[in-house]
Amino acid sequence: MFKHAQLETVKAWIIDPSNGSLPLHERIQRAIRTLILEGILSHGKALPASRALASSLSVSRDTVEAAYSSLHAEGFIERQTGRGSFVSSSARFLKPHSRQHHPAADRRKAKLSARGKIIYESGGIREFSSPRPLAPGIPETRMFPIPTWERLQRQVLKEYQHQILEQSPPQGMERLRRAIAEYVNLERGTRARAEQIIILTSSQQALALCSHVLMDAEEGIAIEDPCYQGAYKAFKSAGLHCLPVPLDDKGISIDALNALTSPARAIYLTPSHQYPTGVTLSLDRRLAVIDWANRHSAWIIEDDYDSEFHYEGKPMACLQGLDAYNRTIYIGTFTKSLFPGLRIAYMIVPSELVESMTMARTLMDGHTASISQLTLAKFLEGGHFGAYIRKMRSVYVTRRNKLASLLDEYLSDYVECVIPTGGMQMPCHLRHGISEKEIAAAARRANVDILGLTSLYADRPLTSGFLMGFAAYTEREIEDAVKKLAVIFRLV
C-alpha cells in the first residue's frame, strides 16, 4: 500500500483544477508516473492492489485498472498474475525528475519590490537565538523566577477565565499600560499616562511603526554613528535617508547634528547606553537634542533598550521626561530585562499619535497575547520586576568586572576595552591592525560569538573591534571563552 504522503499526492492530482480536462484514470496514471520519475517509488516497489487503491481514492476499480494498464503499456510498471503490480525494473534507468528541475517555477528568480530588495540585501537582523559566549545583548534566563511567573499566570487564568482567551485591544491591555506608566514614571523619569502607551511585540516593531507612520520614503533621519543595526535596517527598508552623526565620549555630537546639510524629520538615539559604544548622553546634550528637534519640527525616537542595568551612580532622566515640546517617542522592551521569549515591548507616544500608531499596528500583527500581558502586569504590580532587576544588576556588574579583568589578563596586547557604566555588553577595540573578520570567523568556529564593530557604522568605520556580551554567561563560561579567544589571537 502507498504511504500516506504518496496517496495524498495522487489525491492532489485528482482534485487539482488544472487537471480538470483530463479523464480521471489519466490523472491517476500521471500522478503515479510522477512518483516513479521523482524516485519516490523506486524499482521493484509494490503498488496497491487496484481494489484497495480504488477504495482509498473513492473511485471505481475500473478507473484504477485503466490507469495501471496505461502505466504498464508505457513500461513504468510490471504486472504479475497472482502477485500484483510493481514498479518496473527499467525504472532504475530513468533519469529522476527532482521537483527543483521543473522548468518554470524553480529556475525563476524572485522578482522583489525595491523595498523587498533592500530588506533582503540587508541580511535581516542577526539574532543570537541560541546564544554562545560572548554574544552581546542577551539577558540571563537561568535565574528567572519561573515559579513566581507560573503562580501569577495561574492567578490571571483564574481571575479572567475565558475572557483571557479573546483577542486583546490593539493598544494593549489597560492594566499593563497602567503598570508600565507607574514604573517608568518612577524609575525613568518619564511623563506618561496609560493612554499614551502602546503595547507591542518588540522594539523592532516600534521602529518599523515610527518609520512608516512618521516619515515618507526619501525623507531623512539622523542616526548615531555607529548605530544599532536593527534600527538602521528598519529605516533603510522604509526608504528613509539615514544621516549618520558621529559620537564622542559625551554621546552624539551636537555640532555635527546642527551641521547636517540635509533636512531630518527625526533623530534616533540610544541615550542611556549608546549602542554599541556604551556612552551615556550627557544632560546638556539631551537638552540640545530636544531644542534641535523643536527648531526643526522633528521627532525624537528614544530607544531605552537596557536602561534598567546601570551600574554606577543614578541613571539620567530620559529625554521623554525632559521634553517640554512633547516631540519624543519613547521605546522600551522587556525582552532585555526579563527574557527574550516574552515578546513584549511598548512605546510612549505623544497623545496626537496614539490613534494613528495603534491603527498602523493592527496592519502588522493586530495584538499581543493577553495572558502574557496580564501576567507581566501582575509581575510589575507585585514588585517582582523591581526585585528581579536589582538582583540581576548585581549579577551583571560582577560578570562585567570578570570579563574586564580576564580581557586585561589575556588579551591586553590585542584589544583595548571600554568598561561600560551600564548595559549588557562591552566594546573592545583592536590594536595593531588585526583582522576583525578573521578573528570573528575563528571565534565562531570555537563556539564563541562576538559582534564586529565595523558593521555597525553607517559611514566610514573609525575603529575595528568587537562587542562582547557578559550578561547571559557565568564567570566560568566567560573565562573559558576568553581563553579560547587568547589562543585565536595568538594564531591569527
Side-chain angles (χ1 to χ4, degrees), residues 224-384:
E224 302 162 316
D225 197 29
C227 178
Y228 170 55
Q229 284 294 286
Y232 178 73
K233 292 179 179 182
F235 302 145
K236 292 290 286 185
S237 68
L240 305 182
H241 180 39
C242 291
L243 307 171
V245 182
L247 311 165
D248 59 26
D249 60 355
K250 291 186 178 180
I252 196 166
S253 168
I254 301 302
D255 289 341
L257 180 63
N258 287 326
L260 288 176
T261 56
S262 298
R265 290 279 291 119
I267 181 171
Y268 170 78
L269 296 167
T270 51
S272 290
H273 309 122
Q274 199 279 329
Y275 190 97
T277 66
V279 170
T280 297
L281 188 64
S282 63
L283 178 59
D284 61 323
R285 295 197 184 185
R286 290 174 188 240
L287 297 175
V289 167
I290 292 169
D291 177 66
W292 174 89
N294 180 53
R295 285 187 287 108
H296 292 83
S297 298
W299 298 104
I300 300 170
I301 303 172
E302 179 179 13
D303 190 347
D304 216 23
Y305 67 100
D306 67 354
S307 61
E308 291 86 3
F309 303 117
H310 198 86
Y311 310 129
E312 297 174 15
K314 293 285 186 181
M316 201 172 294
C318 64
L319 272 79
Q320 196 272 353
L322 298 171
D323 182 9
Y325 306 106
N326 209 28
R327 302 203 62 85
T328 301
I329 293 99
Y330 179 95
I331 300 172
T333 178
F334 294 98
T335 296
K336 303 294 186 186
S337 53
L338 293 180
F339 54 93
L342 182 58
R343 309 313 299 158
I344 294 182
Y346 59 95
M347 286 197 303
I348 303 172
V349 303
S351 299
E352 67 267 27
L353 293 179
V354 172
E355 186 175 357
S356 56
M357 285 286 194
T358 302
M359 191 173 297
R361 187 270 164 93
T362 65
L363 296 175
M364 288 189 172
D365 67 351
H367 70 108
T368 304
S370 302
I371 296 175
S372 299
Q373 287 190 66
L374 291 173
T375 304
L376 177 57
K378 280 183 169 288
F379 199 73
L380 285 160
E381 293 164 353
H384 306 292

Side-chain angles (χ1 to χ4, degrees), residues 75 95 97 106 125 138 165 169 193 195 241 264 405 410 451 478:
K95 186 177 180 180
H97 291 345
D106 298 311
I125 305 301
I138 309 295
L165 306 181
R193 293 174 287 105
E195 295 76 20
H241 180 39
S405 66
Y410 291 98
L451 181 63
I478 292 172

Side-chain angles (χ1 to χ4, degrees), residues 44-47 76-80 83-89:
K45 175 75 175 179
L47 272 63
F76 283 95
I77 68 172
E78 298 171 353
R79 311 200 74 181
Q80 301 175 16
R83 293 193 61 214
S85 301
F86 301 85
V87 177
S88 172
S89 58

Side-chain angles (χ1 to χ4, degrees), residues 12 360 437:
K437 187 176 181 180

